[in-house]
Amino acid sequence: MKIQELADKMGLTAHTIRFYEKEGLLDGRHIQREKNNYRNYSDEAIERLKLIKKFQGIGCSLAELKTILQEHDSNARTNHEIMEWIYKKIDEIERKKDEYDQMLLTLNWMLEYRKTLIENPQKAQAMLAAVYRPDPSN
């Protein structure tokens, strides 16, 4: 199949697919060049792109993705090594989740403060003072 057909099937742009090829994420198993130098993508390219999207979906960087796919292609990691990587990825996502939860708390407080500022400026001042009041337990 031609690049645009593959892009449409996968919900990607042709530019993105060319980028993956340039970065070595797609190779000769996935792309054949025709006599006119057009790319012709195999069904394996679809499976490869699904795998790429899956790993991007869990937050893998391009460098991480390259390593993962090379190891996947060569079966370089044992099951235990893959499980260890998964544990580390879970920890990384948990840390990010905690950071996002903290951001949401802050944004929700800011929103509540702004609403209160409109309805009851004195209460809003008290909210603000409470935030900046030193903790006596320190």
Side-chain angles (χ1 to χ4, degrees):
M1 82 188 79
K2 300 290 183 250
I3 194 166
Q4 193 57 56
E5 182 183 351
L6 179 62
D8 291 344
K9 260 186 188 177
M10 297 304 302
L12 299 169
T13 65
H15 175 78
T16 299
I17 294 170
R18 282 188 212 97
F19 174 76
Y20 291 156
E21 181 182 358
K22 184 178 138 256
E23 291 297 320
L25 302 178
L26 297 171
D27 59 28
R29 294 168 295 167
H30 312 107
I31 309 158
Q32 302 297 316
R33 291 285 185 162
E34 295 178 355
K35 289 179 184 175
N36 60 6
N37 210 28
Y38 286 5
R39 295 169 175 89
N40 189 19
Y41 293 88
S42 68
D43 289 338
E44 284 186 36
I46 293 171
E47 295 310 310
R48 183 63 156 218
L49 290 170
K50 285 179 183 176
L51 193 59
I52 290 168
K53 287 175 84 170
K54 190 171 286 191
F55 278 103
Q56 285 178 325
I58 59 169
C60 290
S61 66
L62 181 62
E64 229 177 347
L65 197 51
K66 285 180 181 183
T67 301
I68 289 165
L69 292 176
Q70 286 170 354
E71 291 172 350
H72 174 268
D73 292 343
S74 64
N75 289 322
R77 284 191 177 188
T78 67
N79 193 43
H80 289 288
E81 289 170 327
I82 293 169
M83 288 170 54
E84 185 60 33
W85 178 85
I86 292 169
Y87 285 129
K88 287 179 183 174
K89 201 66 179 170
I90 288 170
D91 288 344
E92 177 186 319
I93 291 168
E94 287 290 341
R95 281 191 307 278
K96 286 180 182 179
K97 180 182 174 290
D98 291 343
E99 289 173 19
Y100 283 129
D101 287 345
Q102 192 60 48
M103 288 180 213
L104 283 171
L105 283 172
T106 301
L107 287 168
N108 282 316
W109 182 91
M110 291 168 67
L111 186 58
E112 188 60 33
Y113 168 76
R114 289 293 164 179
K115 287 178 181 178
T116 304
L117 191 59
I118 293 167
E119 297 165 5
N120 186 344
Q122 287 179 321
K123 185 177 178 184
Q125 278 305 114
M127 286 174 68
L128 202 54
V131 169
Y132 292 108
R133 189 175 302 133
D135 185 357
S137 64
N138 285 338

